Amino acid sequence: MTVENFEDLDAWKKARKLANEIYSVTPNNKFAKDYGLRDQIQRASVSVMANIAEGFDSNSDEDFIRFLKYALRSATEIQSHLYVAKDQNYISEDDFDHIYSNTIAIKNLISGLIRYLKG
């Protein structure tokens, strides 16, 4: 498959799904009222997909890698926020496990893309 647009990247597609998963759990119960955590985890999820997209249109592989590293850090931020959400009983153990494992999968895709671009 030829990659012509950022929308063709598996990492971006999965990041989009992750953002939707985050947005689906954040309106629930106490989570919705914890404005700081809710907004922060939502922003981090959007940041993952936005940085992949922005980096795709950069002028060099080096710039693309830089943006992919930003996306990685935002994904790690999501993982950390998920622990707070779980510890405060904002999300179930199942939601935590599902979203956390999807975040790991995205980080693996981004890391693979970085390795490819460095190669």
Side-chain angles (χ1 to χ4, degrees):
M1 176 178 129
T2 303
V3 176
E4 296 180 10
N5 303 297
F6 68 85
E7 295 97 330
D8 297 329
L9 296 169
D10 286 339
W12 185 86
K13 290 175 189 176
K14 289 193 184 286
R16 181 181 177 197
K17 288 181 183 177
L18 176 66
N20 282 319
E21 290 171 347
I22 295 294
Y23 273 81
S24 73
V25 297
T26 52
N28 298 335
N29 303 319
K30 296 177 188 175
F31 209 150
K33 293 182 173 113
D34 188 336
Y35 305 113
L37 181 62
R38 182 201 64 202
D39 292 349
Q40 195 66 24
I41 198 168
Q42 287 176 347
R43 281 195 300 270
S45 70
V46 171
S47 179
V48 175
M49 57 188 290
N51 277 298
I52 294 169
E54 189 172 354
F56 183 84
D57 278 340
S58 61
N59 293 326
S60 68
D61 287 350
E62 184 178 321
D63 281 342
F64 192 9
I65 289 168
R66 181 168 46 92
F67 281 96
L68 290 171
K69 288 180 178 179
Y70 296 152
L72 272 176
R73 289 193 290 265
S74 292
T76 301
E77 182 180 352
I78 291 167
Q79 290 174 301
S80 182
H81 293 326
L82 285 170
Y83 279 102
V84 176
K86 181 177 83 165
D87 293 345
Q88 297 305 309
N89 296 314
Y90 295 168
I91 59 174
S92 68
E93 189 74 33
D94 287 343
D95 283 340
F96 173 88
D97 291 341
H98 176 75
I99 296 170
Y100 195 93
S101 66
N102 286 346
T103 306
I104 291 171
I106 291 164
K107 288 174 68 172
N108 289 337
L109 286 170
I110 294 169
S111 295
L113 189 51
I114 291 170
R115 282 191 302 278
Y116 172 79
L117 293 169
K118 285 182 175 181

